[in-house]
Structure formats: structure tokens, C-alpha cells
Amino acid sequence: MELARLVLESGCRGLCMVGTSKNAGKTTVFNYLCRQLSPVKTLGLMSTGRDGEPLDLVTGEEKPAVEAPAGSLLATAERVLTASEVYAEILQVLPLETLFGSITVGRVREAGRIELVGPDTAAGVRQVVGALFRHGADLVLVDGSIDRRASAAPAITGNVVLVTGAALAAGLPAIVEQTALWLEFFSLGPVRDRRLARAASRAVHERAVTLLDQDGQAHPLRLRTALDSAAAIHQAVGDHTAAVVLGGALTDQLMQAFLAYPKLVKRLTLIVHDATRVFASRRVYQRWVRAGGRVEVVAPIRVIALAVNPTGPGGLAHDPELFLDSLARVAGPLPVFDVVMGLWRKGGETCPKPGA
């Protein structure tokens, strides 16, 4: 099994690489997919924020460059494209400004390394993805930004390769535990009640906090976000409230406010736009689930695969097969890949040993 083949068989038209931490290894996975898929697909390449810079802006260590293959389409800031080693035909300059100039769409005539700079808003991401498709991309690959879960791209593409690595935590048990939580968040399902689903879809786009009655009747609160408003939200919940819709993030604070009232937790559903808006700790989230609480999303995200990187900054390294096996145990049926070592696992299956 190969990750590239899995992506092709999934039928997806947009795919976002999401890292569980900085230096997780997502650019390595991005480049692997570029190499493997460019012979059979016209790729559109973009980023949310800034990716592909030669030195890590936090650690100062050298980073893998984004490698744009010939024939692909890309979107990046105008000055970055001009200064890169990529020779590209300019197709469109979008009305999206960055610190490095307007976002420019080009067709790569000569392959090379490049830094990708992209929009950091949902509207901007949609605009760039749409432009890449209009100019002929079959599949758009998105390299996530430094604030990976907050990026709009996973929800817009609807498909994710989650990338986790040694940089996530100090030891393997902690890496496994935190990665399992990410997978749990990304597996959150859509709002099940149709009446609530329609009302929630409208409410999340208002970017505010809204209470929904059992019949779907919406009651917006005069709160822009749930941050520092847990007490006010709890006080506003009535006997007929069936769901709390959050236009922004779901954090520990709100769940803890409700956890003191077990009967209320069992009848309430917390609704967010998508899994990237959930910023709960493992401890509080598990308490919420054990108490019978539910979290549902307006826009589900499909995780196609988990990619792993047993190395990290400063020479940190785990045994590749042990690292892969440990993460495969919490991934369940989801296929897990180490694209550098050419290893994979899926539900107990393993790749053949090299030379076997």
C-alpha cells in the first residue's frame, strides 16, 4: 500500500496536510505526494500562512523546502515567487495581500524549490482553491500553516492527512496519547438532528454563540465567542435548550462549566463548525464524554491517513518501526504511513519487509 495510491483511490479533489505540532514532518509528506502524484494529476499547490522557508522561524534549524514539480499550478506571494528558483508562467494575481505581496497563481514550467505563502482566512483559502481549480488543477494540496488546527483549509478541502512526529511531545507515550486525541477530534460526526443541523449551519456562520431549542429555534446571545463567557452561557441555557452552537472555539472552560450539572450535560449537544475548532484537553474532553456529553460538527472532515515522523529537531529520533507500531495501535482501521522509510500499517496489516 502507498499513501499516494490511497489518495488517488479516495477520489478527493482537495487535501490538506495537518501537523499535530510544528516540525511534525508535514512538508516532507507534502513533497512525497507532489512527486508521486504529479505524473498522473495536475496538482494545485498552496499553503495557509507561510511554509517552505529555508530556516525554521522558531528553532533556526534548516527546513525541507517545498518542491514544486513541472506542470503543477501553485499559489504564493508575488515577491516570493519572483525570488524563487521556480520558473512559472503567471496566470492570475488575486486581490489577496500578504506581507510579501499579492497572492499569485502560476503554472510551473521548470521544477524547483519554493516557499509557499497563502491566505490565513477561510474566505481567502476558498478564493485560492477556486482559482487553482479554474486554471486546471485536478487535485489541490494544501500545506498547513503554523497555526494548523485554526487553519480554515481542513474544513474547506474536507480531507486531511494528519501528520504526527517526535516533535509533538517529550516521550513516545505522550506522543501516542496526544495523537489519539487529535484523531478523536477529527472523527467528530455531523449534527444528527436535522432541525438542529439546519439551524446550526446558519448560526456558525454568524461567528457568535447561539442556543438552539429542540425544535431548532435559534436564540443568539450577545457574545462574540465562548471564551471567558462560560458562566453567561450556562445561565442562558433554559429547559428547552438542546444545543449550544459556537461560532468560534470549544475549550475546556465551557465544558467544565457544564460538567458540574450532569443532567444538563446529558441533554446538551455542543456544536462547532468543524474539528479544527476544538481545543479541549484530553482530561476534560474525556470527562465530558463519560458524562454523556456530545460534540458534533457542521462540516465533518475525513482523515484519509495518519503519517508519522519518528525524528525531531536537535537529533531526536525514535525507532521507526516501534514508533509506527505504537501509533498504529491508536489509529484503529486508519492506515498509518512512514513515507521516508517506506513503512505502513493498517488494522494489524503490515508492509512486507524490504527485499521480501
Side-chain angles (χ1 to χ4, degrees):
M1 180 186 296
E2 292 182 349
L3 176 57
R5 179 179 298 178
L6 188 68
V7 171
L8 289 174
E9 291 175 351
S10 75
C12 70
R13 297 194 67 214
L15 180 64
C16 184
M17 262 49 68
V18 176
T20 58
S21 68
K22 192 165 179 62
N23 299 308
K26 65 183 180 55
T27 303
T28 297
V29 176
F30 187 90
N31 286 334
Y32 160 84
L33 289 175
C34 286
R35 290 192 302 272
Q36 296 294 317
L37 296 175
S38 60
V40 294
K41 291 282 187 180
T42 299
L43 300 178
L45 313 179
M46 65 170 291
S47 172
T48 56
R50 182 181 184 183
D51 271 292
E53 64 272 18
L55 294 179
D56 187 282
L57 298 180
V58 176
T59 67
E61 294 188 3
E62 187 174 347
K63 291 185 59 179
V66 172
E67 300 165 358
S72 62
L73 299 162
L74 59 79
T76 192
E78 189 174 13
R79 292 202 298 275
V80 170
L81 179 58
T82 303
S84 76
E85 63 182 43
V86 169
Y87 172 65
E89 171 191 358
I90 303 300
L91 301 176
Q92 185 180 2
V93 178
L94 298 173
L96 295 170
E97 291 296 324
T98 74
L99 293 174
F100 305 94
S102 301
I103 300 294
T104 302
V105 178
R107 188 183 309 278
V108 179
R109 297 302 186 186
E110 293 182 10
R113 294 173 298 175
I114 191 168
E115 178 181 350
L116 295 178
V117 176
D120 56 5
T121 65
V125 171
R126 288 192 186 93
Q127 192 169 347
V128 174
V129 169
L132 290 168
F133 280 136
R134 285 195 303 274
H135 289 290
D138 299 317
L139 171 62
V140 174
L141 301 180
V142 184
D143 196 357
S145 66
I146 201 168
D147 193 2
R148 289 160 177 80
R149 269 194 294 178
S151 161
I156 291 170
T157 64
N159 302 283
V160 158
V161 170
L162 185 64
V163 185
T164 194
L168 175 60
L172 183 54
I175 294 168
V176 171
E177 180 180 293
Q178 291 184 40
T179 301
L181 183 63
W182 276 75
L183 290 170
E184 189 167 359
F185 290 157
F186 274 92
S187 69
L188 289 172
V191 181
R192 289 175 285 183
D193 186 298
R194 291 184 179 180
R195 291 170 300 180
L196 295 183
R198 288 193 293 269
S201 181
R202 292 190 294 268
V204 292
H205 292 294
E206 297 297 323
R207 301 289 296 170
V209 179
T210 302
L211 305 184
L212 300 183
D213 289 346
Q214 295 165 349
D215 60 1
Q217 184 71 32
H219 302 279
L221 302 182
R222 294 184 178 181
L223 304 170
R224 291 303 299 169
T225 72
L227 296 175
D228 300 321
S229 303
I233 295 170
H234 176 259
Q235 290 174 3
V237 170
D239 292 339
H240 300 289
T241 304
V244 179
V245 182
L246 307 173
L250 170 60
T251 62
D252 284 354
Q253 189 180 35
L254 182 62
M255 284 189 285
Q256 286 174 321
F258 287 121
L259 279 168
Y261 305 90
K263 291 182 179 179
L264 186 59
V265 171
K266 289 180 180 179
R267 71 174 175 86
L268 270 186
T269 299
L270 301 180
I271 301 174
V272 292
H273 182 267
D274 60 81
T276 69
R277 312 297 174 90
V278 182
F279 289 88
S281 68
R282 180 174 180 268
R283 179 182 60 84
V284 173
Y285 184 74
Q286 287 185 340
R287 283 183 59 204
W288 177 264
V289 172
R290 284 197 298 267
R294 296 185 303 278
V295 179
E296 297 176 346
V297 298
V298 170
I301 295 172
R302 175 175 59 158
V303 179
I304 291 177
L306 175 67
V308 304
N309 171 22
T311 64
L316 179 64
H318 296 271
D319 175 82
E321 295 220 27
L322 175 61
F323 196 83
L324 188 71
D325 287 337
S326 299
L327 286 157
R329 282 195 285 271
V330 297
L334 189 72
V336 184
F337 296 88
D338 181 331
V339 299
V340 174
M341 300 298 295
L343 301 171
W344 62 266
R345 302 284 189 270
K346 181 184 179 184
E349 295 180 66
T350 61
C351 63
K353 297 290 184 182

